[in-house]
Each structure stands twice: as C-alpha cells, then as structure tokens.
Amino acid sequence: MPSITATLFLILRLGLGIFFVWSGLIKLADLDAFTEAVFNYQILFPPYDGYAAYFVAWLEVIAGLATVIGRWGARGGLLAIAFMLAAFNIALGIAASKGLNINCGCFGSSEEPTNYLLHIGLNLLLWVLAIILLWREFTTRSKRLFSENKLSLPNQS
C-alpha cells in the first residue's frame, strides 16, 4: 500500500498535469486570441508570434499528458512545465517593465488586464511545485531502479 506522502505527490502530479492539459486545450480552442495575446507582449512579432502560440499550446497539452501518464514521461513533462513557467515569468517581467496593460492569455481571451505581481507569484508557486515533483521523480525512480532486488546478477554455480 502506498504511503500518504506517495499518494500526496501522485495527487499533486496529476493535478499539475491536468491543469496544463486544460490550459493548452483552452489556447488551442481559440488559437487566434492566444496568438494576439502572445503578440501583445511585444517580444515576438508576426509570424513568430503565431508559431510560438501554436508551439506553446501544444507543448502544454503534451507536457501535461506526459506528467499525468507518469512512468518515464513524468520527468520530461515536469521539466517542460518548469521551463514554460520560467519563460512565462520572464515574459511577464518584460511586459511589466514596459508598462503594458494587457491580458496574459493564460486561460483564453479576456478584457481584464493582467495583475503582474499576482501572476508572477502564482507562476512561481507552480514552478516550485514542478521542481519539487521533478526532484521526487528523479530520487524515487533512482532508488527503485537501483535497489538490491532490481539489478542483481544471477547466481552462477
């Protein structure tokens, strides 16, 4: 029977993965609005804003699914999620430093401007969660893979 800690980490990993699948699907449902949101950051311009929007939306879905599925995919999914969150925080910082009054585009289009401090704070919490889960994946998988019962040479008579 799994421990309470293992169950908690599983719930957190599934929650983070499902969150990113959902976020990516929302972006794919209205890719034009998400492309406009990417453009509004004034970091990428046509056609690169469209390429980035398409790539990020699909990467969120794929990384989220890999994180949910687990096994070997969880490591790659969590690593991609951590990099996306870091990149998004950098983009938010650039937009805030330019004084842009834009919607972040995280969950579809909206007329509500982004509260930069709130979004950066929430993304940092998600980033810390992804890093903790990634660390857990590497440490627990390594222990299971290299335990005495897993990799032992057969007895030779």
Side-chain angles (χ1 to χ4, degrees), residues 2-97:
S3 69
I4 292 173
T5 306
T7 304
L8 176 64
F9 277 106
L10 175 65
I11 291 169
L12 290 171
R13 182 175 56 81
L14 292 175
L16 186 64
I18 290 168
F19 175 77
F20 269 84
V21 169
W22 172 72
S23 176
L25 290 175
I26 287 174
K27 290 173 178 77
L28 287 171
D30 193 359
L31 202 52
D32 290 337
F34 184 55
T35 301
E36 184 179 336
V38 171
F39 174 78
N40 288 339
Y41 282 88
Q42 297 180 5
I43 298 171
L44 298 173
F45 299 98
Y48 304 107
D49 58 344
Y51 300 151
Y54 189 77
F55 176 76
V56 167
W58 276 109
L59 184 59
E60 283 187 358
V61 171
I62 293 167
L65 285 174
T67 301
V68 167
I69 291 169
R71 300 289 295 157
W72 300 103
R75 291 179 180 182
L78 289 167
L79 191 59
I81 287 171
F83 276 115
M84 282 189 288
L85 288 166
F88 183 55
N89 264 358
I90 291 168
L92 282 170
I94 291 169
S97 71

